[in-house]
């Protein structure tokens, strides 16, 4: 009897020890894949990206690609990316096409089909470029046309938004290129009484080549200074291939660039 | 008596099984609970929205708003910083910003380039982790329509007047803008394959991207339209992201504890953001 008691005690101790042994690393999960949520701004073709965590996501496998493995074909309810914007899907079926979407944040209720590779991370970027409101309390600014064709340029450009004010003078519409150079500037010819739109001449094409530009609307203040009202990124293009930018370190700089910037470092 | 003892032992065994099983179950469900806890605590504003609001609040230059603005940059955009270093970093940044808004001596884009490239060398990072004035300028311009009261914002004294066509944004930045652009560029160097390009390749890379945009415009110009709302995009797997995370982890692990504690202050030193008290 004593032997039985001793044996049972040993078993109990062994079991309890194993149960407390939670810090041992689990066996590596099946490969699956990882989802990563980012926020992005596309002013031009190159986005600015920032990982964003705590995003509620959903996902369901739509179709398999050849060689697909993994048993998981749907994300669990309340799947949420971690602080780094990552959500591992161990044994997620891949390679495959998954329908992935977000339940929270700026891209709430948006979804898209994403190709998923086994063992890799699929980046899900929420692009809010045209829908970010840079002046709190204002609204999104929209340009019409959003794409200006230099070969058949429009006579006017209309910008809709809010807070556009002609009290101290017609607002200015400035066009900045990717170098931060002011390439064109026009003054509005018309402003709606409720401040939700302006119309003005299309930009003078002489300083403009095919590229994306910031269109910035500024109101004139009582002291004559310009106050930012809103901005929108537009594309101005022609059938002519855009020229490559000169290398600031290898060739003579364009006048405005050289005048305004100190000599850049040429470490390459 | 023997039966009673056996019953006691059996109950002990059952209790031990329950305790052990409960511990195992708890460890598996802890992640789910953390997940649901983070669901409750989730903020809906993006870091850019938060920072933008703070930049507008600081427009009139009151010290408290500038303090909040400095905090906004540090809290949301600085990658790795011990929490005890944040307060001193924030104070220094806020002081420098107040001085700048009175005296207008900004931080050059070249300083941002030097700071980042020095960090890349110190961490033994690949060449694509380095930047150039061209790339820093591109990043600033990308942000100027998003954060107009932080990026490319003229000093208060200069009063924004109508600019001459052909002129450019100021190459000098306020201390908080310089810190923000440095932090944002470091972030792009870690996560964004479009910025993970060697400085000497940046011009070509940008040109290729511009050509893509142009081809899209040329081929579709009769049917182009802007999206009606925020959109999701896929980005392919980026092995450089993993490589940069390893570089960061290795670099920090190889640092002495004093070097680690002083890293943020050293970055501000390299940027040229002084640590002087505001002169009365």
């Amino acid at each position: 009897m004593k032997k039985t008691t001793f044996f049972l005690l040993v078993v109990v101790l062994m079991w309890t020890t194993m149960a407390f042994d939670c810090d041992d690393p689990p066996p590596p999960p099946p490969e699956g894949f990882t989802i990563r949520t980012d926020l992005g701004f596309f002013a031009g073709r190159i986005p600015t990206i920032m990982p964003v965590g705590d995003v509620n996501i959903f996902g369901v496998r739509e179709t398999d690609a050849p060689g697909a493995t993994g048993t998981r074909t749907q994300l669990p309810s309340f799947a949420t990316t971690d602080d780094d914007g990552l959500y591992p899907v161990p044994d997620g079926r891949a390679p495959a096409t998954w329908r992935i979407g977000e339940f929270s944040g700026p891209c709430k209720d948006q979804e898209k089909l994403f190709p998923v590779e086994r063992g890799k991370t699929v980046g899900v970027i929420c692009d809010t470029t045209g829908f970010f409101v840079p002046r709190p309390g204002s609204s999104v600014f929209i340009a019409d046309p959003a794409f200006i064709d230099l070969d058949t340029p429009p006579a006017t450009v209309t910008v809709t938004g809010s807070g556009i004010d002609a009290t101290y003078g017609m607002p200015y519409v400035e066009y900045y290129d990717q170098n931060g150079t002011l390439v064109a500037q026009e003054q509005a010819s018309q402003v709606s009484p409720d401040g939700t739109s302006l119309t003005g001449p299309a930009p003078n094409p002489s300083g403009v080549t095919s590229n994306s530009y910031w269109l910035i609307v500024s109101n004139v203040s009582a002291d004559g200074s310009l106050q930012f009202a809103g901005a929108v990124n537009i594309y101005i293009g022609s059938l002519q291939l855009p020229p490559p930018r000169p290398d600031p370190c290898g060739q003579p700089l364009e006048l405005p660039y050289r005048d305004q910037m100190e000599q850049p470092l040429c470490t390459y | 008596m023997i039966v009673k003892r056996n019953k006691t032992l059996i109950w002990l065994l059952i209790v031990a099984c329950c305790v052990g099983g409960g511990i195992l179950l708890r460890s598996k469900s802890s992640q789910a609970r953390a997940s649901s806890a983070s669901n409750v605590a989730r903020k809906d504003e993006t870091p850019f929205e938060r920072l933008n609001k703070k930049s507008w609040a600081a427009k009139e230059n009151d010290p408290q708003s500038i303090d909040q603005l400095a905090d906004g940059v540090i809290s949301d955009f600085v990658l790795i910083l011990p929490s005890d270093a944040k307060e001193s970093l924030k104070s220094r940044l806020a002081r420098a910003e107040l001085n700048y808004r009175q005296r207008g001596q900004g931080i050059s884009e070249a300083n941002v380039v030097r700071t980042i490239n020095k960090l890349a060398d110190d961490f033994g990072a690949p060449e694509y982790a380095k930047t150039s004035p061209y790339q820093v300028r591109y990043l600033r311009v990308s942000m100027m329509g998003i954060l107009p009261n932080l990026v490319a914002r003229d000093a208060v004294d200069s009063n924004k007047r109508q600019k001459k066509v052909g002129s450019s944004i100021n190459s000098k930045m306020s201390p908080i803008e310089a810190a923000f652009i440095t932090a944002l560029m470091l972030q792009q160097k870690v996560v964004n394959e479009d910025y993970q390009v060697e400085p000497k390749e940046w011009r070509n890379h940008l040109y290729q991207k511009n050509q893509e945009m142009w081809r899209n415009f040329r081929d579709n110009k009769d049917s182009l339209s802007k999206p009606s709302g925020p959109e999701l995009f896929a980005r392919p797997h980026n092995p450089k992201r993993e490589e940069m995370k390893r570089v960061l982890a290795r670099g920090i692990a190889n640092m002495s504890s004093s070097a680690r504690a002083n890293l943020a202050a050293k970055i501000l030193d390299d940027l040229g953001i002084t640590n002087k008290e505001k002169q009365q």
Side-chain angles (χ1 to χ4, degrees):
Chain A
M1 199 56 232
K2 280 188 182 173
K3 279 188 184 172
T4 310
T5 310
F6 179 73
F7 174 74
L8 281 170
L9 269 173
V10 167
V11 167
V12 166
L13 276 170
M14 280 177 62
W15 175 252
T16 312
T17 307
M18 280 163 56
F20 271 98
D21 207 6
C22 299
D23 289 335
D24 274 355
E31 242 184 328
F33 58 91
T34 301
I35 293 171
R36 187 189 70 236
T37 49
D38 290 326
L39 193 63
F41 292 102
F42 286 76
R45 198 73 167 185
I46 291 182
T48 304
I49 290 175
M50 184 172 178
V52 61
D54 277 351
V55 178
N56 255 3
I57 55 173
F58 64 89
V60 64
R61 187 274 322 252
E62 290 273 320
T63 52
D64 283 350
T69 59
T71 56
R72 181 173 280 285
T73 55
Q74 190 168 343
L75 300 189
S77 303
F78 305 115
T80 306
T81 54
D82 65 15
D83 287 346
D84 292 328
L86 297 172
Y87 188 84
V89 189
D91 203 28
R93 194 149 177 91
T97 298
W98 280 63
R99 182 173 298 279
I100 297 172
E102 298 184 354
F103 277 138
S104 63
C107 283
K108 184 181 173 187
D109 299 333
Q110 297 293 316
E111 62 178 51
K112 204 157 194 163
L113 292 177
F114 290 83
V116 169
E117 295 177 76
R118 188 163 52 235
K120 302 277 173 71
T121 300
V122 56
V124 177
I125 292 187
C126 176
D127 174 17
T128 63
T129 309
F131 303 94
F132 186 90
V133 179
R135 186 164 58 94
S138 177
S139 64
V140 166
F141 272 48
I142 298 170
D144 181 20
F147 302 90
I148 295 178
D149 184 349
L150 287 172
D151 298 319
T152 51
T156 58
V157 170
T158 298
V159 181
T160 53
S162 66
I164 302 170
D165 186 4
T167 304
Y168 299 105
M170 282 301 190
Y172 282 85
V173 179
E174 299 171 313
Y175 298 84
Y176 284 89
D177 70 5
Q178 292 175 345
N179 272 352
T181 302
L182 180 65
V183 297
Q185 182 179 261
E186 305 292 343
Q187 211 165 359
S189 53
Q190 245 181 311
V191 172
S192 66
D194 62 359
T196 59
S197 72
L198 67 78
T199 299
N204 182 337
S206 60
V208 177
T209 56
S210 299
N211 219 319
S212 65
Y213 294 83
W214 275 115
L215 183 162
I216 293 182
V217 175
S218 298
N219 293 327
V220 180
S221 296
D223 62 0
S225 64
L226 298 183
Q227 301 298 321
F228 178 92
V232 55
N233 205 257
I234 65 167
Y235 189 83
I236 303 177
S238 74
L239 289 180
Q240 196 174 7
L241 183 66
R245 301 296 304 177
D247 182 344
C249 291
Q251 295 173 20
L253 299 169
E254 299 149 316
L255 184 61
Y257 192 92
R258 186 167 52 200
D259 275 353
Q260 297 295 327
M261 287 183 72
E262 62 186 30
Q263 187 66 32
L265 289 174
C266 300
T267 56
Y268 53 86
Chain B
M1 190 74 167
I2 292 171
V3 170
K4 226 186 196 178
R5 209 181 294 160
N6 280 346
K7 273 188 182 173
T8 307
L9 284 169
I10 288 166
W11 275 114
L12 194 63
L13 194 61
I14 290 168
V15 165
C17 288
C18 290
V19 167
I23 288 168
L24 282 173
L25 279 172
R26 193 170 57 208
S27 69
K28 280 183 186 172
S29 68
S30 62
Q31 189 181 1
R33 278 209 301 278
S35 173
S36 70
S38 70
N39 283 346
V40 172
R42 187 175 60 252
K43 307 173 189 73
D44 287 316
E45 264 186 337
T46 68
F48 290 96
E49 285 167 329
R50 280 195 292 275
L51 188 64
N52 190 41
K53 279 185 186 168
K54 289 175 181 178
S55 71
W56 279 88
K59 200 167 176 249
E60 302 308 321
N61 305 329
D62 72 283
Q64 198 173 357
S65 300
I66 289 175
D67 206 60
Q68 288 292 312
L69 180 60
D71 181 70
V73 170
I74 291 160
S75 299
D76 278 331
F77 293 90
V78 177
L79 277 177
I80 300 163
L81 195 66
S83 54
D84 53 355
K86 285 190 179 185
E87 203 50 46
S88 66
L89 183 65
K90 184 188 80 173
S91 301
R92 181 170 165 181
L93 206 49
R95 255 194 327 269
E97 181 76 11
L98 269 171
N99 284 341
Y100 164 78
R101 291 192 184 203
Q102 289 173 353
R103 294 179 181 79
Q105 287 170 331
I107 310 293
S108 71
E109 290 167 337
N111 276 18
V112 173
V113 173
R114 277 188 279 263
T115 301
I116 289 173
N117 290 353
K118 191 165 177 306
L119 266 175
D121 283 337
D122 290 346
F123 275 64
E127 273 304 296
Y128 66 72
K130 291 186 175 173
T131 189
S132 65
Y134 211 170
Q135 202 177 57
V136 168
R137 174 56 67 95
Y138 185 90
L139 182 63
R140 288 185 71 206
V141 174
S142 299
M143 289 284 107
M144 66 185 265
I146 306 289
L147 299 166
N149 252 357
L150 176 63
V151 178
R153 174 191 180 275
D154 294 336
V156 167
D157 282 348
S158 61
N159 267 336
K160 188 177 174 202
R161 299 281 166 182
Q162 184 188 347
K163 280 190 166 174
K164 208 170 77 167
V165 170
S167 65
S168 181
I169 62 171
N170 199 329
S171 64
K172 295 261 171 94
M173 297 172 269
S174 77
I176 289 184
E177 182 192 347
F180 168 68
I181 291 296
T182 304
L184 191 62
M185 180 62 83
L186 286 170
Q187 209 166 58
Q188 302 315 296
K189 287 296 184 179
V190 174
V191 305
N192 189 347
E193 62 188 357
D194 276 311
Y195 276 87
Q196 290 163 336
V197 171
E198 292 184 26
K200 64 186 177 189
E201 297 299 330
W202 173 251
R203 184 173 76 98
N204 283 341
H205 179 66
L206 188 58
Y207 183 58
Q208 295 303 323
K209 290 293 179 179
N210 288 342
Q211 271 195 312
E212 283 174 23
M213 267 199 305
W214 174 77
R215 271 189 221 106
N216 182 49
F217 170 79
R218 181 198 61 186
D219 298 342
N220 303 296
K221 68 186 180 108
D222 293 331
S223 57
L224 286 170
S225 63
K226 287 280 188 178
S228 57
E231 268 190 314
L232 290 179
F233 282 98
R235 288 283 272 194
H237 177 74
N238 178 11
K240 286 179 180 173
R241 198 160 173 157
E242 305 309 314
E243 184 182 12
M244 282 301 294
K245 282 184 179 175
R246 287 194 295 271
V247 164
L248 274 179
R250 190 178 63 228
I252 286 168
N254 287 344
M255 283 176 126
S256 67
S257 54
S258 61
R260 213 175 301 149
N262 289 325
L263 180 60
K266 190 173 169 307
I267 289 171
L268 290 190
D269 287 339
D270 289 341
L271 275 175
I273 296 173
T274 62
N275 198 14
K276 291 177 189 169
E277 289 292 328
K278 190 175 80 141
Q279 292 176 4
Q280 298 297 326

